[in-house]
Amino acid sequence: MLFPTPSTRHTTRSNQVTSCFAPIGMCQAPTAPPPKPIGPSTTTTPSRTSNLLRHASILIPPFLRHNLLTNQPPSKKKTALLVLVAVLLLSIAFFSTLYTFHRGFRRTIQFWRGLAPMALQYKFLKFKSLKIDRVDDAEYQRRIAAFRQRNAPQLVDLILSLGGIYVKIGQVMSTIGAGLLPDEYVRALRPLQDGVPPKDLDRISKIIEDSTGKKRTDLFIEFEERPVGSASIAQAHRAVLRPASSSTGEREPQRVIVKVQYPEVADLFAADLANLEWATYLFAPENMEVARAMRKRHENELDFRIEADNLRRCAADMQRHGVEPSLVRIPRVRNETGICSKNVLVMEYLEGMALSDVIQEEQERVARALGKEDAAELKRAIMTRMRDHFERGGGAGDGGMNLLEGAKMNLLSKVLGPAGGTLLRAYASARNHVEDAMLALQRTTGKVLAEFGGKKPLDLLEEGGKSKAKRTNVNLSKALKTLVHVHGIQFMISGVYNADPHPGNVLVLPDGRLGLLDYGMVGKLSRKDRQTVAELILALNSNDKATAARIYRENGYKATLSNGLQVDDSILHRLATFHLDKIDLSKLTLDNGDTIDVLELLRGTRERAVPSWVEEGRRLGGLLQGVCVQAARPISLAKEWSSIAKDALKKK
């Protein structure tokens, strides 16, 4: 035998070697013999765990499947990848859970999902225009204006979709931003003053029942389905209060306004304010003090029981100072049946027209008198002229409407001087009376024709178009002076004041008095702070820069400038002027003789400490100035309040 047979192969337990001398067809590795069972002979079956692992293996990445099923430890790289995948899956699950069940987190995502793209687009446009394309200033301004025109409606849509406090801020910015903020944003935000889309009646009825423990139909004889106003945190309905029983019999039913707060606003308050503070920190860090003060200011607005107390106290204070009810009316709380609660407030109904509508109506009349289709072109002209007025030093205007451009306006200004604006408004009002008379004649004619044609007068009017809303003829200048005067008394003498007098919260009553409606946001000043404000007002009115700067320093106001300039008396005086006097965009001359642009100064100012009375005063002052600017009647707040300041110091 020349070759060994397969049976003569040498094998060991650890290694089997096939002889290379075996025939080719027989060169096969033998199979290992089955292991001998230890102990009694049994039949082995796969464990339940093993079966589960094998069935679940289809969910395991291939590079890990072999290691898990064979009990072999994975490599470090595979372990790290496994941990990364696990963390990613857990993060997705955690994010989804938070977004589904945590309303504050969901609202934060919605806020940044809407705001971040606009902010990034703006930053990219600015970088591309200045660093890459290197365009001139005119082209840069054109691009920025086009960006604002595109994004302003999106910003309003975002505010409306979020609701709550965002609407409140939009209302404030539409009022105080006139002449300061870009006109595209001011125009887009202005409709927020008229309210927001309301909730349906079923939702409102449920809130009333949950808050009072009584059904709406048990509390009110009538309840109008359509609200008279819908604001950022609540909406208001006209209703007839069901009279409460008394020992002397049934009382007369009372017409009331029922304010119903949306409960979700309070739930989302913390998340909303945190989002705003972060956005301010990232995009406008110089306004961080304003953002922090906003949280404190809005907290009490979410409890209507506090607003009811504010209404009672402010009405009593204004009566004591002789302005209520002679100049203004503050609605009385109606809580005879004990229905006022955290989310429901019932108060006296005042008949009147919103100040914002009165301003709009006057501008439409003037626009028609100037031969314009509507007030849109007129408003743009007002804002342009108002900006020029601010750059010349601001303050009290010369009649408001004679700030406008146009052939008729220029002729009136040249021939009649400052009285031109007043006469133009008188002409517009007279023309309005003629139109009203013609409308009344149409109604009368309609009644006569209805007898012959069988049609109702309303049908005849509708055939010719929708009937016009009821007009008012108001001395708007007098109304604005009353508004400013009353808030000066509240701020410096009473110490309890309405901190939110935007035009949608003020009614002009048929007899010319003002109805001050919303006292959810009320500020309070100590006697010491009121005295300080009075001293500052007198210093601003007399243009005493040194005294104004001293008052700010002594009361702890601290600010730094990003350009490294020292905050001298002239800078403090100009800041105080913005806060509690007027909008002055003229060039500022520093103590050392240099001049700087005021808008650059405002953008570069970083406030480190702001006294509470400064924060409260500049918000109130900004709102009052904004209302007057919106009506084309700029003011000097220090001039309007100087007599009140003197009275406040006499009471010292």
Side-chain angles (χ1 to χ4, degrees):
M1 183 174 61
L2 298 176
F3 302 102
T5 62
S7 60
T8 61
R9 296 173 192 158
H10 300 284
T11 63
T12 64
R13 190 174 182 85
S14 60
N15 186 27
Q16 295 180 346
V17 181
T18 302
S19 173
C20 294
F21 300 100
I24 294 175
M26 301 178 64
C27 289
Q28 298 177 0
T31 58
K36 294 182 179 180
I38 302 174
S41 177
T42 59
T43 303
T44 60
T45 58
S47 67
R48 180 175 298 180
T49 303
S50 176
N51 284 332
L52 288 175
L53 282 173
R54 293 180 185 280
H55 287 299
S57 64
I58 58 174
L59 303 175
I60 304 173
F63 65 87
L64 294 173
R65 191 179 304 158
H66 175 74
N67 299 85
L68 291 175
L69 295 179
T70 57
N71 295 324
Q72 294 182 7
S75 65
K76 292 183 179 179
K77 184 182 296 185
K78 292 179 179 178
T79 300
L81 192 54
L82 175 62
V83 171
L84 182 61
V85 171
V87 170
L88 179 61
L89 293 175
L90 287 173
S91 300
I92 293 174
F94 183 67
F95 179 90
S96 301
T97 303
L98 275 179
Y99 191 84
T100 303
F101 298 106
H102 195 287
R103 298 177 65 183
F105 181 78
R106 182 166 64 249
R107 194 168 178 82
T108 298
I109 297 301
Q110 293 168 346
F111 174 83
W112 287 106
R113 186 175 61 194
L115 184 65
M118 287 186 280
L120 292 175
Q121 288 173 26
Y122 175 76
K123 294 289 186 182
F124 176 74
L125 175 63
K126 186 176 179 180
F127 175 79
K128 182 175 184 295
S129 300
L130 299 179
K131 302 297 183 181
I132 299 178
D133 297 342
R134 299 182 182 277
V135 299
D136 58 22
D137 186 65
E139 174 62 17
Y140 174 72
Q141 295 299 332
R142 189 197 66 78
R143 293 185 181 185
I144 293 296
F147 170 84
R148 292 168 180 161
Q149 194 71 33
R150 289 194 311 270
N151 283 272
Q154 297 179 25
L155 179 62
V156 175
D157 289 342
L158 175 62
I159 289 173
L160 289 174
S161 66
L162 292 171
I165 196 172
Y166 299 106
V167 174
K168 174 71 70 176
I169 293 170
Q171 291 172 336
V172 172
M173 297 311 297
S174 69
T175 302
I176 68 175
L180 287 176
L181 292 179
D183 190 45
E184 296 87 354
Y185 291 124
V186 174
R187 289 202 310 269
L189 292 170
R190 191 160 288 157
L192 296 178
Q193 294 179 4
D194 299 326
V196 297
K199 310 287 185 185
D200 61 75
L201 183 59
D202 291 339
R203 172 70 173 139
I204 295 301
S205 299
K206 176 109 177 25
I207 296 173
I208 293 175
E209 184 174 350
D210 291 344
S211 186
T212 65
K214 301 177 183 179
K215 291 185 177 180
R216 173 179 58 83
T217 53
D218 294 337
L219 296 171
F220 305 101
I221 299 174
E222 298 176 11
F223 195 96
E224 292 187 7
E225 179 176 355
R226 183 177 180 181
V228 295
S230 50
S232 55
I233 68 170
Q235 63 191 57
H237 294 256
R238 272 192 294 256
V240 177
L241 184 63
R242 191 177 295 279
S245 299
S246 66
S247 57
T248 59
E250 291 288 325
R251 298 177 182 173
E252 288 294 325
Q254 303 175 58
R255 293 194 63 79
V256 294
I257 285 290
V258 184
K259 287 180 65 174
V260 182
Q261 182 184 146
Y262 314 135
E264 63 270 17
V265 173
D267 298 337
L268 299 173
F269 176 80
D272 288 344
L273 266 296
N275 290 333
L276 288 170
E277 287 174 359
W278 269 107
T280 303
Y281 176 77
L282 292 175
F283 303 114
E286 67 275 10
N287 293 321
M288 277 305 297
E289 286 295 331
V290 178
R292 294 189 187 103
M294 194 182 302
R295 177 184 295 272
K296 179 181 178 181
R297 187 165 51 241
H298 285 279
E299 284 176 347
N300 290 338
E301 195 179 13
L302 302 178
D303 191 337
F304 279 169
R305 293 168 296 190
I306 297 176
E307 181 172 354
D309 291 338
N310 292 336
L311 283 165
R312 296 186 186 100
R313 178 171 179 180
C314 289
D317 283 350
M318 292 301 96
Q319 288 172 359
R320 187 165 58 252
H321 294 294
V323 297
E324 212 281 352
S326 60
L327 296 178
V328 299
R329 286 281 286 109
I330 296 175
R332 306 297 187 262
V333 177
R334 299 303 186 201
N335 195 30
E336 289 84 351
T337 56
I339 58 177
C340 292
S341 62
K342 180 179 179 181
N343 294 324
V344 177
L345 175 62
V346 181
M347 57 186 177
E348 175 189 8
Y349 171 68
L350 298 178
E351 181 74 41
M353 187 175 185
L355 181 59
S356 56
D357 293 336
V358 173
I359 295 172
Q360 173 72 16
E361 185 182 89
E362 183 193 75
Q363 292 176 352
E364 288 177 352
R365 288 202 305 263
V366 173
R368 289 195 297 271
L370 291 172
K372 301 181 184 297
E373 293 269 338
D374 54 40
E377 184 180 352
L378 184 74
K379 288 179 179 178
R380 287 193 291 271
I382 289 173
M383 290 302 104
T384 300
R385 291 294 182 176
M386 205 63 67
R387 183 63 176 262
D388 294 340
H389 176 68
F390 296 152
E391 290 177 351
R392 293 193 301 269
D398 50 4
M401 288 300 173
N402 50 329
L403 290 168
L404 302 178
E405 57 188 356
K408 293 183 180 179
M409 203 68 249
N410 289 336
L411 179 61
L412 282 170
S413 297
K414 290 178 180 178
V415 176
L416 302 173
T422 303
L423 290 178
L424 177 61
R425 288 195 295 272
Y427 162 69
S429 179
R431 176 174 171 168
N432 194 59
H433 280 304
V434 173
E435 292 179 355
D436 285 342
M438 294 299 294
L439 186 61
L441 180 61
Q442 289 177 4
R443 291 195 183 101
T444 303
T445 306
K447 291 180 180 179
V448 176
L449 293 176
E451 294 180 0
F452 297 96
K455 291 185 178 181
K456 298 179 180 179
L458 184 60
D459 296 334
L460 292 171
L461 282 176
E462 288 176 350
E463 287 179 0
K466 293 184 178 180
S467 59
K468 295 182 181 294
K470 181 180 179 181
R471 293 181 174 127
T472 61
N473 292 287
V474 177
N475 186 334
L476 186 53
S477 296
K478 182 180 178 181
L480 293 171
K481 278 186 172 293
T482 298
L483 181 68
V484 172
H485 179 74
V486 169
H487 282 82
I489 293 174
Q490 289 183 340
F491 195 61
M492 286 182 287
I493 296 180
S494 171
V496 180
Y497 64 94
N498 181 357
D500 193 24
H502 73 75
N505 284 343
V506 180
L507 286 182
V508 180
L509 307 184
D511 58 9
R513 291 181 298 171
L514 299 184
L516 307 180
L517 302 183
D518 193 338
Y519 276 79
M521 192 183 298
V522 167
K524 297 179 182 179
L525 285 185
S526 67
R527 178 179 294 274
K528 178 180 179 299
D529 287 344
R530 298 200 300 271
Q531 300 288 325
T532 303
V533 172
E535 291 174 4
L536 178 64
I537 290 296
L538 294 179
L540 292 173
N541 188 47
S542 60
N543 199 31
D544 187 346
K545 296 182 180 180
T547 300
R550 176 184 58 78
I551 291 172
Y552 262 44
R553 286 197 181 95
E554 289 180 353
N555 285 272
Y557 182 88
K558 295 179 181 179
T560 57
L561 301 178
S562 58
N563 57 10
L565 287 175
Q566 182 181 359
V567 180
D568 60 18
D569 285 3
S570 61
I571 291 177
L572 286 176
H573 174 263
R574 182 60 65 91
L575 293 175
T577 298
F578 268 101
H579 296 163
L580 281 165
D581 185 14
K582 61 184 179 179
I583 302 172
D584 183 357
L585 298 181
S586 62
K587 293 285 186 180
L588 174 62
T589 302
L590 302 178
D591 291 351
N592 61 9
D594 295 339
T595 59
I596 59 173
D597 181 78
V598 172
L599 289 179
E600 291 182 6
L601 168 69
L602 295 176
R603 284 192 291 265
T605 301
R606 301 291 185 267
E607 294 182 323
R608 305 304 179 187
V610 181
S612 60
W613 62 266
V614 172
E615 175 56 40
E616 297 297 323
R618 67 184 176 189
R619 186 182 191 278
L620 177 62
L623 282 168
L624 294 173
Q625 292 180 58
V627 173
C628 295
V629 167
Q630 190 174 325
R633 291 164 175 84
I635 63 170
S636 165
L637 198 60
K639 180 179 178 181
E640 298 292 333
W641 280 0
S642 59
S643 61
I644 303 172
K646 292 176 182 177
D647 290 342
L649 291 176
K650 288 178 183 178
K651 298 179 183 297
K652 185 174 181 179

